[in-house]
Amino acid sequence: MTVRDRGVAVIGNGPVGQTTALLLARRGVPVVLLDGRPERDPTGSKAICQQRDVLDVWEVVGAGHRIAEEGVTWTTARTFHRDRELFSLTLEDAGSPAFPPFVNISQARVEEVLDERIAADPLITVRWGHRVVDVDQSDDAVVLTTATGARVVADYAVACTGARCDALRQVLGVRFDGHSFDDRFLICDIWADLPDWATERRFYFDPEWNPGRQVLIHPCPGSTFRIDWQVPADYDLAEEERSGVLDARVRAIVGAGTDYEIRWKSVYRFHARVADRFRVGRVLLAGDAAHLMSPFGARGLNSGVADAENAAWKLAYVLRGWAPPSLLDTYHDERHAAAVENLDVTTATMNFLVPHDDRGHARRLAVLEGAATDPALRARVDSGRFAEPFWYVTSPLTTPDDSRPFTGRPPKGRVPAPAPGVLVPDVPVTAPGATRLRQLAREGCCVLAGPGVDAHGALPRVPAGPVRAVSLPEIDPEGRVAAALGVRPGELWVLRPDAYVAGIVTDPAELPTVLRRAVGDAAPRRDQIMGRPSTAG
């Protein structure tokens, strides 16, 4: 049987696939969401740390605040060596964000909330039991064949099939280069009454109850804690359960007299791998299908949601005629670079956690023993750099500003200064249909005009897709947006549909060039030029 589905086929009904589907439907694109499983499996916490910029994305589809309210908020990360606290890190706010830096909630619960949003959207069709085994492409369609012989035909497809995606990557001819780490990690969801630990993340180097290795503890809703123990390559979970060693592991943390219950447990081997291509014709790869990394710093699911947003707005712009198909090439440019950055960061963490030789162990021990008193050594302790939005400063879609040079990866816990290629800080605004700057930006391309600049007067010369022009004094009379961005007199700031800064100009005549570049040099269409708020999105 062959079914022709207009729009996009999303392969994989996990949170990355769900987010992709919801964002596409939000922009008017029909979606068929395929998954090989017969139904959802809600077992285990899996990815638990949802970063504030990801919550922003989920808020666009009506789920962000609900997920945040159900989750556990934490802003402090404590790091210990053995039984001594080395330091704590309080995460920085950029602008006046709507969400805390991180909210801990199980992936299973996130999936349930997103399922409810999908069920309410008539543009999304969900088909369980559709495991895609083959992909054929033509000039105007992609044909997906399932294990049962069903064929689904769509304009484009996004593969969000998770880590176990080898067969599909092979069909697409995609390499998945990288390596795997020998040490394993035992992961348990544990219910216990530990009120002092309920709002902070704790990382232990070489505690006496896991000598020579590490332990990470995260609070979750309902007095549940996610505990990750680094264990050797030959670790045997069944033997530990039989012998009582697993119980001793848990009691070393929760206390001998504390009741507890293990609600889920698993053993993972971590990987550092990235696909050589994120676009293969009419198929895009996203999430773990495109990249795998260790979870320290919570960069897995969070980067996958960033993939989803990047893919969704570009597919929507192409399908709605607002951009040329070549815009999709920039999906690889931007998200492959983000994956490489994430792998750089997480591999450095793993190398610190699991040194390769005796000299590496000795160096790490010296750093840890001195970090409690030496700030220079403290900066070298690596228990995971927390997830952060990538910066598209070298993207083909970004118009650089020489007066705002990018100085590279910012210090831990900080974000880059606003500039072309950087995600705009979130600040409250007062505008028709929007109460926050990122909400305003995500309706389409957005032009922000500083004091004394007539943005609306510039719009007749703007040949790009849905564009909204706003005066900063009108939407923010107190000047919070201008202060957060660092707006200079006479500037026009151009924001992309994913709230990244595309460029900054002082001459309105330069706006068409910046806007065309921001959407892949789309050809001008008169009916796309708007002088009032866009209804797109």
Side-chain angles (χ1 to χ4, degrees):
M1 179 181 69
T2 300
V3 179
R4 174 75 197 206
D5 289 285
R6 295 180 302 114
V8 177
V10 176
I11 312 168
N13 197 357
V16 175
Q18 291 172 293
T19 304
T20 304
L22 285 164
L23 291 173
L24 283 165
R26 174 179 175 267
R27 295 192 185 276
V29 177
V31 179
V32 56
L33 184 51
L34 310 172
D35 198 290
R37 297 169 294 175
E39 59 187 4
R40 189 168 301 289
D41 175 11
T43 304
S45 60
K46 302 177 184 175
I48 60 167
C49 298
Q50 322 306 343
Q51 198 255 356
R52 67 154 52 105
D53 303 295
V54 167
L55 294 168
D56 270 338
V57 174
W58 284 333
E59 182 61 13
V60 168
V61 296
H65 271 95
R66 184 171 173 190
I67 291 170
E69 288 164 3
E70 290 192 23
V72 169
T73 296
W74 60 277
T75 58
T76 301
R78 299 190 184 278
T79 301
F80 300 80
H81 179 221
R82 296 177 180 148
D83 61 350
R84 182 180 189 183
E85 183 172 349
L86 299 181
F87 56 86
S88 65
L89 175 67
T90 300
L91 303 179
E92 181 183 84
D93 286 344
S96 304
F99 298 103
F102 282 94
V103 168
N104 283 6
I105 185 172
S106 75
Q107 177 179 324
R109 181 57 187 147
V110 168
E111 290 172 345
E112 289 177 347
V113 174
L114 296 179
D115 275 341
E116 293 178 16
R117 303 304 305 161
I118 287 170
D121 198 314
L123 286 178
I124 304 175
T125 301
V126 179
R127 296 178 186 159
W128 295 99
H130 279 63
R131 181 169 62 89
V132 174
V133 296
D134 199 12
V135 180
D136 289 314
Q137 302 191 51
S138 65
D139 290 341
D140 65 350
V142 58
V143 182
L144 309 176
T145 302
T146 73
T148 61
R151 284 160 41 99
V152 175
V153 184
D155 296 310
Y156 291 93
V158 184
C160 310
T161 43
R164 296 178 176 87
C165 186
D166 292 343
L168 190 56
R169 282 190 291 262
Q170 185 174 3
V171 166
L172 293 170
V174 171
R175 297 197 319 271
F176 204 46
D177 298 332
H179 63 279
S180 301
F181 296 93
D182 289 334
D183 270 31
R184 267 61 168 175
F185 287 81
L186 165 65
I187 299 177
C188 293
D189 292 345
I190 294 174
W191 174 87
D193 186 17
L194 301 171
D196 291 342
W197 294 8
T199 58
E200 59 187 39
R201 172 254 206 196
R202 291 179 166 231
F203 194 102
Y204 291 85
F205 286 99
D206 193 22
E208 63 179 12
W209 25 275
N210 197 37
R213 289 184 166 85
Q214 281 65 248
V215 178
L216 174 62
I217 304 171
H218 266 288
C220 295
S223 297
T224 300
F225 293 83
R226 160 76 170 268
I227 306 179
D228 296 26
W229 290 266
Q230 182 188 347
V231 294
D234 60 354
Y235 176 76
D236 188 335
L237 175 57
E239 174 58 25
E240 275 211 354
E241 290 183 279
R242 186 197 63 76
S243 65
V245 172
L246 181 60
D247 175 68
R249 275 187 187 276
V250 176
R251 293 216 169 275
I253 295 175
V254 305
T258 302
D259 291 337
Y260 78 89
E261 177 187 339
I262 297 178
R263 295 186 168 173
W264 178 68
K265 56 186 178 295
S266 188
V267 179
Y268 280 91
R269 185 183 188 191
F270 295 150
H271 309 271
R273 299 186 180 277
V274 62
D276 65 322
R277 292 183 292 163
F278 281 25
R279 179 189 182 189
V280 182
R282 290 180 169 267
V283 182
L284 308 182
L285 278 72
D288 287 353
H291 45 72
L292 288 175
M293 59 203 70
S294 68
F296 298 103
R299 288 172 176 258
L301 174 55
N302 288 301
S303 66
V305 171
D307 293 344
E309 182 175 35
N310 196 291
W313 82 259
K314 291 175 180 176
L315 283 165
Y317 266 55
V318 169
L319 286 168
R320 299 193 67 177
W322 299 332
S326 59
L327 174 65
L328 300 180
D329 290 335
T330 69
Y331 172 73
H332 170 87
D333 295 332
E334 294 185 341
R335 296 313 302 165
H336 185 270
V340 170
E341 168 71 12
N342 284 328
L343 286 173
D344 234 15
V345 169
T346 55
T347 299
T349 298
M350 289 300 294
N351 289 340
F352 190 82
L353 299 183
V354 190
H356 298 293
D357 51 34
D358 291 342
R359 290 181 62 187
H361 280 281
R363 283 194 299 269
R364 190 187 74 160
L365 181 59
V367 169
L368 292 171
E369 288 183 338
T373 56
D374 186 343
L377 290 177
R378 190 175 302 157
R380 293 170 57 188
V381 174
D382 192 345
S383 60
R385 180 185 170 102
F386 297 122
E388 60 205 328
F390 186 62
W391 36 89
Y392 302 136
V393 291
T394 62
S395 166
L397 305 185
T398 301
T399 300
D401 180 351
D402 292 340
S403 71
R404 291 178 171 87
F406 181 66
T407 56
R409 186 186 298 163
K412 285 183 181 179
R414 298 186 183 179
V415 296
V422 175
L423 182 65
V424 73
D426 199 21
V427 184
V429 298
T430 303
T435 59
R436 306 197 65 83
L437 180 57
R438 290 186 184 172
Q439 181 186 11
L440 182 70
R442 286 184 164 117
E443 292 183 1
C445 287
C446 182
V447 177
L448 305 176
V453 182
D454 181 10
H456 296 281
L459 272 186
R461 297 190 294 274
V462 175
V467 179
R468 181 171 186 171
V470 295
S471 167
L472 287 181
E474 291 178 7
I475 66 167
D476 177 34
E478 296 179 12
R480 290 173 295 183
V481 174
L485 295 179
V487 176
R488 300 167 187 165
E491 286 186 335
L492 290 152
W493 285 58
V494 178
L495 308 184
R496 299 173 9 163
D498 54 0
Y500 274 80
V501 181
I504 305 166
V505 302
T506 54
D507 182 355
E510 297 176 1
L511 275 178
T513 300
V514 175
L515 280 159
R516 280 198 299 265
R517 185 171 185 174
V519 296
D521 199 23
R525 279 232 316 262
R526 187 71 187 174
D527 61 353
Q528 295 168 358
I529 300 169
M530 300 182 180
R532 56 183 181 274
S534 166
T535 58

